[in-house]
Amino acid sequence: MRILISNDDGVTAPGIAALHAALADYAECAVIAPDQDKSGASSSLTLDRPLHPQTLANGFISLNGTPTDCVHLGLNGLLPQVPDMVVSGINLGANLGDDVLYSGTVAAALEGRFLGTTSLAFSLLSRQPDNLPTAAYIARRLVEAQSRLVLPPRTVLNVNIPNLPLEHIRGIQLTRLGHRARAAAPTKVVNPRGKEGYWIAVAGDAEDGGPGTDFHAVMQGFVSITPLQLDRTFNEAFEQLDGWLEGVL
C-alpha cells in the first residue's frame, strides 16, 4: 500500500513526523506538506504563481503552497506512483464542528476523494505535542483497519483525539458534527506607522455540543470519528424552494 501524508501545520511540524513514524513500517509513505503553517487554508488552491517542491534531508517534500496543493500534486504526477490513500495530520488542535469548513487538515483529506479509498484526517485536542504518541497509535490502528472499510466514494473520516495518555482514552464514538457559536470579535492592532489591522479571534465555543456530537465525545474522553462527504446539497429544501420559485420568472 502507498500512503500520501500531508497536513496544514507545515512539513516540519511534530504531528506529521509522528504520523509518518507510526505508518512507515506499515506502508510505503510519501510526505508532501506546506513549507509553513497553513492552518485555516481550507481547500484553497494556489493559482497565481508556480509551486516549487523541495525534498528535505528526511525525504519529506516541502511545497510553497496549501495542503490542498500538496495532495493535488501528489495525486497528479509529482509522485512516481499514484497513492492508494491519503492521510492528513496529526494536527495540533481540534477540528470539531464548523472547524471542518476552514481546516487545512480536513481539506488535505478531502482532496484525496478522487481515490477509491476513504481518506482520514487526524487532530489532537492540544497545541502541545505531549500526547502525540496517543494520537499516532490511534492513527496506526485506524489505518490498519481501513482495508475492512466499505464506504461510498468521496467519504472522509474526521478523527479527533482527546489530549490524554492512551490508557485514559475511553474508546471510540461515531459522531455527527456539532456547531460552534459565533466567533469572538477580531482583535484590532495598529502598527508603528499608524496602519490598522485585525487578527482573527479564536473560534466560538460549542453551541450544539450535546450527546452524539464530536464535541461531546472528546470532552468525555472518547476518540470522535465523523464521516464527511463533499456533497453539501440540502436536498430537504427542494420542496420549499419549488414553491418559492413559482412566478419568479
Side-chain angles (χ1 to χ4, degrees), residues 14-234:
I16 202 167
L19 184 56
H20 177 265
L23 299 177
D25 68 343
Y26 172 75
E28 180 183 335
C29 295
V31 174
I32 309 176
D35 61 0
Q36 57 185 291
D37 191 331
K38 288 291 183 179
S39 298
S42 188
S43 289
S44 58
L45 285 169
T46 300
L47 303 177
D48 60 347
R49 56 182 170 79
L51 298 168
H52 299 288
Q54 294 187 13
T55 302
L56 306 182
N58 62 359
F60 292 6
I61 298 175
S62 174
L63 192 73
N64 61 327
T66 68
T68 300
D69 290 331
C70 294
V71 177
H72 185 83
L73 264 63
L75 300 187
N76 294 289
L78 183 59
L79 298 176
Q81 292 180 296
V82 177
D84 297 305
M85 68 179 298
V86 171
V87 177
S88 179
I90 299 166
N91 192 68
L92 291 183
N95 278 303
L96 301 164
D98 308 83
D99 298 343
V100 302
L101 297 173
Y102 311 104
S103 168
T105 305
V106 174
L110 284 171
E111 190 64 14
R113 66 189 178 274
F114 300 103
L115 302 175
T117 53
T118 298
S119 301
L120 295 100
F122 295 102
S123 301
L124 176 67
L125 270 72
S126 176
R127 298 294 180 186
Q128 302 302 318
D130 302 40
N131 287 309
L132 266 178
T134 299
Y137 175 83
I138 290 167
R140 169 64 180 255
R141 297 289 289 165
L142 290 174
V143 170
E144 286 178 332
Q146 195 269 355
S147 62
R148 307 195 309 269
L149 186 62
V150 180
L151 287 174
R154 303 182 180 227
T155 303
V156 170
L157 297 184
N158 185 40
V159 183
N160 281 275
I161 301 152
N163 183 36
L164 296 169
L166 183 60
E167 61 270 21
H168 293 164
I169 296 291
R170 298 179 62 191
I172 299 175
Q173 289 187 356
L174 295 175
T175 60
R176 66 174 177 85
L177 294 176
H179 295 285
R180 291 190 183 277
R182 187 174 178 177
T187 301
K188 182 178 177 180
V189 294
V190 180
N191 72 14
R193 298 189 179 188
K195 186 174 183 178
E196 294 180 355
Y198 294 86
W199 281 101
I200 297 295
V202 296
D205 294 329
E207 187 173 60
D208 172 16
T213 67
D214 47 2
F215 287 101
H216 188 268
V218 294
M219 291 302 104
Q220 299 301 310
F222 291 91
V223 175
S224 163
I225 299 183
T226 306
L228 307 176
Q229 278 198 309
L230 185 67
D231 185 358
R232 299 178 185 172
T233 306
F234 183 18

